[in-house]
Amino acid sequence: MTTQTHPVDHELVQAAAHVARTRCRGDNHTMAAAARARDGRIVTAVNAYHFTGGPCAELVLIGAAAAQGACELDTIVAVGDRGRGVVPPCGRCRQVLLDYFPTLKVIVGGHEHLRAVPISDLLPESYVWADHQLDAE
């Protein structure tokens, strides 16, 4: 684990907080995520809670970004509804984010102690899915 930090993209945190405040209502949508694409665009999404294990906001965001042509993401953050602030990704999201975007930075920490860290720092000694795929020839 490198424990290196990067500058926090406060505009990204504000975008996720705005979506959490204005779009997360009720039990179905309780988390918002925002990511900055390599081209500078901000993409947002909310989770789709379901008792069967509906997708987290970060996973919905991956699909939304792809649908908008933003296939390379630089930084991501998730914010909870009801003023809960920044929430770190769950284990499943950490693995998926690492597999899709190995150089991604993730904003974590409390209100006063936000930091942007590499996704690999959140999943040390991780399984790297791409390392175990057969060459498609």
Side-chain angles (χ1 to χ4, degrees):
M1 184 156 68
T2 64
T3 60
Q4 70 183 99
T5 60
H6 301 272
V8 172
D9 186 338
H10 291 284
E11 184 181 20
L12 204 57
V13 176
Q14 291 170 353
H18 174 75
V19 171
R21 195 172 46 256
T22 60
R23 301 290 185 244
C24 292
R25 293 193 170 87
D27 293 336
N28 293 333
H29 309 293
T30 58
M31 294 290 298
R36 186 169 303 276
R38 290 264 163 85
D39 65 8
R41 285 184 286 167
I42 293 178
V43 178
T44 60
V46 297
N47 69 318
Y49 176 79
H50 191 264
F51 72 91
T52 61
C56 297
E58 295 93 333
L59 299 184
V60 174
L61 187 135
I62 291 171
Q68 295 174 36
C71 298
E72 295 295 324
L73 301 181
D74 184 59
T75 306
I76 193 168
V77 65
V79 173
D81 67 347
R82 295 170 284 146
R84 291 183 289 148
V86 172
V87 177
C90 72
R92 176 178 67 169
C93 287
R94 291 174 192 213
Q95 184 67 56
V96 173
L97 291 169
L98 176 69
D99 290 338
Y100 273 66
F101 311 104
T103 62
L104 184 73
K105 294 178 288 297
V106 182
I107 299 174
V108 296
H111 293 288
E112 313 264 323
H113 304 288
L114 293 178
R115 62 195 187 284
V117 299
I119 184 63
S120 57
D121 281 9
L122 297 181
L123 203 60
E125 302 296 328
S126 60
Y127 174 86
V128 179
W129 181 67
D131 290 348
H132 302 278
Q133 300 307 299
L134 298 176
D135 292 326
E137 291 187 34

